[in-house]
Amino acid sequence: FDFPLLWQDVLDAYAITGDDVLWEWTGEGYISAPVMEPYKGYYFFNRDNNPVLNMPCFVQPADEQLPPAVASSTAPGSLRLSVEPAQAYDEHSSISTVTVGWTAEAGEGLDEQDRYMPPAFLEAYRITLVNDALGTAYPYLHREYRPEEASNQVFDLEIKGEPGVPLRLRVDGLADLPQEAVYLVDQARGTQYDLRDAATVVIEPAEVFNQFKLIAGDVAFAEKQQAALTPEGFYLQQSYPNPFAGSVTIAYSLPEDGPVVLDVYNVLGQRVRRLVDEHREAGAYKLEWDGTHTAGETLPSGVYFYTLKAGSYRETRQLTRVR
């Protein structure tokens, strides 16, 4: 056919069970599409594996039937998570998004409140929900709602990116969410981000596909879930803020118990401060440094290096102090 066709007309003419969202590829990511335009390709989840899709070409063209544009928003009781390259950050844009939430209409398994995500064949950057308990061979979701009474929940996330290239993750809807604690946890590194403290965080993918957990619930539940997550490897996170003027936060992860040393050096290779020198258990750690020398004096502006040593592991990162 050579005219636009409303996707709703296709749905009315053909009984599609389950997910009924039509997706369009924009060149950077997928967006939902209300209209099928001529000579363009689209994606929908063919859950029933039907070989034929009826196209009701007897209907009127869709030019005058387009639904009004709806502003992007987050419904009460839900969170929208967005990712994009950190260097291209725009608080009003995103390349890929997912939504999680709670509603009385949702069930424990797959239902009409949930929506699938197209496969990650084309995107360079992408966030998706992963639920292996759906009872389907395809576990990737764009939206997942759970029963309202099940307020303490853990959602599995997969974030696609380029190893070592920072991504910025933003969370919308926290103000309307009743859960006291909301954390994002990097499973491989054990790095934890308190999203109540900062709704926008920078993450650094270690692989092409990276596994995260979103923990939401009361404080006791969140702390128990975090304590149960042991990092899969050693990791020294980039300090933040960087550059820093007052104090700086340094975080690191340990997959096993053992002695840990964390030192700060100047550009001449001289140690100016030892921040950690003790035996520590496996887990994720975070500390603040006020930019002072071992003797307590404030260090001058400049470039410094901090090094983590744990067993045979050694990693160094750079930070900049400004005054």
Side-chain angles (χ1 to χ4, degrees):
F1 54 93
D2 59 358
F3 55 85
L5 181 64
L6 280 175
W7 176 241
Q8 187 58 51
D9 287 338
V10 179
L11 297 179
D12 292 343
Y14 192 77
I16 297 176
T17 61
D19 200 340
D20 57 6
V21 176
L22 183 71
W23 295 94
E24 176 184 354
W25 172 251
T26 66
E28 288 188 326
Y30 288 99
I31 60 173
S32 59
V35 176
M36 299 182 72
E37 298 180 4
Y39 317 117
K40 294 183 68 173
Y42 297 89
Y43 168 95
F44 85 98
F45 190 75
N46 190 10
R47 185 175 174 184
D48 297 328
N49 200 27
N50 293 307
V52 176
L53 182 66
N54 292 332
M55 308 298 292
C57 295
F58 56 84
V59 300
Q60 295 296 316
D63 302 287
E64 305 301 326
Q65 305 179 51
L66 298 183
V70 178
S72 176
S73 62
T74 304
S78 66
L79 294 175
R80 186 174 68 246
L81 292 86
S82 311
V83 296
E84 65 181 356
Q87 67 271 20
Y89 176 60
D90 180 341
E91 64 178 352
H92 301 297
S93 70
S94 61
I95 285 180
S96 180
T97 66
V98 295
T99 300
V100 301
W102 292 260
T103 176
E105 290 76 28
E108 290 290 347
L110 184 69
D111 54 39
E112 294 299 322
Q113 305 299 318
D114 304 319
R115 292 289 181 266
Y116 283 104
M117 174 76 87
F121 294 143
L122 302 174
E123 303 104 320
Y125 313 98
R126 192 281 264 282
I127 182 171
T128 185
L129 294 156
V130 183
N131 190 338
D132 291 315
L134 292 177
T136 62
Y138 188 80
Y140 303 105
L141 296 175
H142 168 68
R143 188 179 78 187
E144 183 176 7
Y145 277 81
R146 296 185 181 175
E148 209 165 34
E149 62 273 12
S151 58
N152 288 333
Q153 292 285 347
V154 177
F155 296 89
D156 290 310
L157 298 166
E158 183 178 87
I159 297 179
K160 181 182 180 183
E162 297 180 41
V165 177
L167 294 175
R168 198 175 299 266
L169 182 142
R170 185 180 74 249
V171 183
D172 296 303
L174 286 166
D176 298 321
L177 198 72
Q179 281 76 2
E180 299 174 273
V182 183
Y183 287 90
L184 179 73
V185 179
D186 183 334
Q187 288 186 245
R189 293 162 168 166
T191 308
Q192 302 169 7
Y193 304 90
D194 184 348
L195 299 180
R196 284 287 189 191
D197 182 54
T200 300
V201 297
V202 175
I203 59 177
E204 189 174 294
E207 308 290 342
V208 174
F209 292 96
N210 305 270
Q211 309 308 312
F212 286 76
K213 286 187 180 293
L214 180 70
I215 302 171
D218 59 49
V219 174
F221 171 81
E223 290 179 347
K224 181 179 180 180
Q225 293 297 318
Q226 291 179 81
L229 296 174
T230 300
E232 297 175 3
F234 292 100
Y235 178 59
L236 178 62
Q237 185 175 329
Q238 178 59 55
S239 59
Y240 59 93
N242 189 33
F244 76 100
S247 62
V248 63
T249 299
I250 299 174
Y252 60 93
S253 304
L254 309 172
E256 58 190 41
D257 302 355
V260 177
V261 174
L262 180 61
D263 290 322
V264 181
Y265 297 88
N266 61 22
V267 292
L268 299 178
Q270 301 167 324
R271 189 177 72 198
V272 296
R273 184 71 183 268
R274 173 156 286 181
L275 300 175
V276 179
D277 184 8
E278 61 185 27
H279 187 281
R280 292 202 163 175
E281 298 180 350
Y285 294 89
K286 184 185 298 183
L287 59 88
E288 285 195 6
W289 175 48
D290 59 5
T292 58
H293 192 279
T294 301
E297 300 175 358
T298 301
L299 290 168
S301 300
V303 174
Y304 296 88
F305 302 90
Y306 57 106
T307 298
L308 176 69
K309 290 179 283 187
S312 60
Y313 173 82
R314 181 187 179 100
E315 185 170 358
T316 299
R317 286 184 179 264
Q318 177 181 308
L319 54 79
T320 302
R321 176 165 176 75
V322 294
R323 295 178 60 187

